[in-house]
Amino acid sequence: LDLIVGANYRRYSLNSEGTLFLLDNGEEVGWAEYGAFVQASKALADDKIKLSGSVRYDKNENFAGQLSPRVSAVFSPSLNHNIRASFQKGFRNPTAQDQFIDLDVVVRRLVGSSDLGIAKYNLKGNPAYTWQSVQSAKASGNEGDLVAYDFQEFKTEKISTWEVGYKGQLFDRLFIDSYYYYSSYSDFIAEVLLVQSTSNNASDLVGGGLSQEYGFDINATGNVTSHGWAIGGDYSIGKGWHAGGNISFNKLLSEDDLVKQGFRSAYNTPEYKTNFTVSNRNIIKNFGFSAAVKWQDAFKWESAFSQIAGNVVPSFVTVDAQVSYKLSSLKSMIKVGGSNILNERYVTSFGNPNIGALYYVSV
């Protein structure tokens, strides 16, 4: 039996010099977290079956402790074929910004979901209403349509994931690696938009009076699910030539349910991404070559700085290429190449700069 154990301790001390985070008695906050784990693995049936299991415990002083178990099995009927399956539970503590941000982004104020933020802006004494109910009340003129937000304990996000996969070599030339996963989240962290009357009079919201909007992170109710798959391969063509590629798919299945609840998922993941490569380390004596074409699907980007409906990050295609020359006498390699050599400008998230070409020479 192979056994591994470990532990960690980490201390956070926020220091934005008062520009980004909530203050507690005039000071930015700090907190500690610690964890420990044990992992065991065992080979059976002449190494054809490999079992492993692990569990770790983590405690953040701001949240309840979490157990993260994982079990997996790999079945290898032959040397070149491997079938794997696993189940694991994980968690995500709210980030420093989730808990303690205090920032005006013009369209609304982002407020951390700690008691400090709720108290500073009196979100209970001067009720904050859901954005959707404010729009309904304005349309109907009925103050009774307003729904005051019920603040609950902010919790750690949890996830359970099942995965199956295959990795193997076929026909002595083709290497394949593939997987499928299904994930279920509970206490999914999402942002809700709240509206508060600046006069502490709810009727002013109906009549279009002055108001303040807040972006507030909360735990979505129910389960949120996602799934995805990927397959990649590398084919040996012969005479040193290799061709390969991969394609992946990821989708948040509960997107519509979150929107109906008034949440923004900020999943920010393209459904499809793919890469295709071709290479030869020795086309002719000492000369090598490689090229890759990458494509990414368009997707909706949601963040603290985007609007309610989100912003679309366009799809893009890039080409990378490189040639190399081996100087055997100097035991050296000269490489000339570039990323995105056609200089097709693209972005990977809303608000980021455009990315262009990068050309390089290396020895």
Side-chain angles (χ1 to χ4, degrees):
L1 185 72
D2 292 323
L3 191 67
I4 303 173
V5 297
N8 68 281
Y9 175 86
R10 176 176 289 178
R11 179 75 195 174
Y12 293 86
S13 297
L14 299 183
N15 181 19
S16 71
E17 299 183 355
T19 62
L20 184 61
F21 297 112
L22 292 161
L23 302 179
D24 185 12
N25 295 321
E27 299 289 335
E28 294 184 38
V29 301
W31 67 92
E33 67 180 25
Y34 60 86
F37 73 91
V38 58
Q39 175 180 296
S41 58
K42 180 74 173 178
L44 304 171
D46 296 327
D47 288 341
K48 289 188 176 182
I49 299 176
K50 295 181 180 179
L51 304 176
S52 66
S54 66
V55 63
R56 68 171 290 141
Y57 175 80
D58 290 275
K59 179 68 175 76
N60 181 301
E61 69 177 77
N62 294 335
F63 303 97
Q66 299 294 325
L67 279 174
S68 305
R70 182 180 189 272
V71 292
S72 66
V74 179
F75 174 56
S76 305
S78 64
L79 183 63
N80 293 330
H81 300 280
N82 304 275
I83 301 169
R84 63 188 185 272
S86 67
F87 170 77
Q88 57 191 344
K89 288 190 173 183
F91 70 96
R92 179 168 70 99
N93 281 327
T95 66
Q97 293 192 33
D98 291 337
Q99 300 176 67
F100 301 111
I101 194 171
D102 185 12
L103 183 66
D104 184 358
V105 293
V106 182
V107 292
R108 61 189 175 282
R109 175 170 286 277
L110 306 179
V111 180
S113 301
S114 66
D115 291 338
L116 290 175
I118 295 173
K120 178 177 180 179
Y121 294 103
N122 194 24
L123 295 177
K124 291 183 178 179
N126 179 12
Y129 300 93
T130 63
W131 184 86
Q132 287 84 352
S133 73
V134 172
Q135 305 313 305
S136 297
K138 286 181 178 180
S140 66
N142 182 7
E143 186 178 335
D145 288 338
L146 292 174
V147 178
Y149 186 74
D150 182 17
F151 292 92
Q152 302 289 327
E153 177 189 2
F154 197 27
K155 300 177 182 178
T156 293
E157 181 180 289
K158 295 92 175 173
I159 183 174
S160 298
T161 297
W162 296 260
E163 182 182 349
V164 292
Y166 167 79
K167 180 165 61 176
Q169 186 174 339
L170 305 174
F171 318 118
D172 295 326
R173 287 179 175 269
L174 177 62
F175 174 79
I176 293 288
D177 193 357
S178 60
Y179 67 80
Y180 171 81
Y181 74 89
Y182 178 88
S183 296
S184 177
Y185 300 84
S186 60
D187 295 322
F188 186 82
I189 296 174
E191 184 183 294
V192 65
L193 189 60
L194 305 178
V195 184
Q196 181 189 59
S197 169
T198 56
S199 64
N200 199 4
N201 189 342
S203 61
D204 286 350
L205 294 177
V206 180
L210 294 177
S211 63
Q212 173 66 56
E213 295 187 357
Y214 297 94
F216 197 83
D217 285 337
I218 51 86
N219 300 112
T221 57
N223 289 328
V224 175
T225 57
S226 67
H227 74 157
W229 53 263
I231 182 169
D234 185 81
Y235 184 72
S236 177
I237 301 172
K239 295 184 178 181
W241 286 96
H242 287 263
N246 60 71
I247 182 171
S248 63
F249 172 84
N250 299 277
K251 186 174 179 63
L252 185 65
L253 298 172
S254 303
E255 176 81 19
D256 292 340
D257 292 338
L258 287 170
V259 172
K260 289 178 182 177
Q261 295 180 60
F263 304 139
R264 297 190 311 156
S265 65
Y267 194 61
N268 297 342
T269 303
E271 285 196 1
Y272 289 98
K273 291 197 298 184
T274 186
N275 300 282
F276 296 99
T277 63
V278 61
S279 64
N280 190 330
R281 293 186 177 182
N282 195 32
I283 302 176
I284 56 176
K285 186 177 181 181
N286 295 330
F287 275 97
F289 168 80
S290 66
V293 178
K294 303 176 182 179
W295 173 81
Q296 179 174 296
D297 199 4
F299 66 98
K300 183 174 68 174
W301 176 269
E302 294 179 316
S303 73
F305 300 99
S306 65
Q307 301 302 316
I308 297 300
N311 296 272
V312 174
V313 175
S315 63
F316 61 86
V317 178
T318 63
V319 179
D320 303 342
Q322 173 188 284
V323 292
S324 61
Y325 181 72
K326 185 185 296 182
L327 295 171
S328 301
S329 59
L330 298 178
K331 297 182 179 179
S332 301
M333 179 80 74
I334 298 176
K335 296 179 180 179
V336 178
S339 300
N340 187 18
I341 61 173
L342 301 181
N343 199 27
E344 294 291 334
R345 301 275 174 166
Y346 66 94
V347 295
T348 56
S349 65
F350 177 75
N352 274 6
N354 285 283
I355 300 172
L358 172 68
Y359 306 106
Y360 59 85
V361 177
S362 70
V363 179

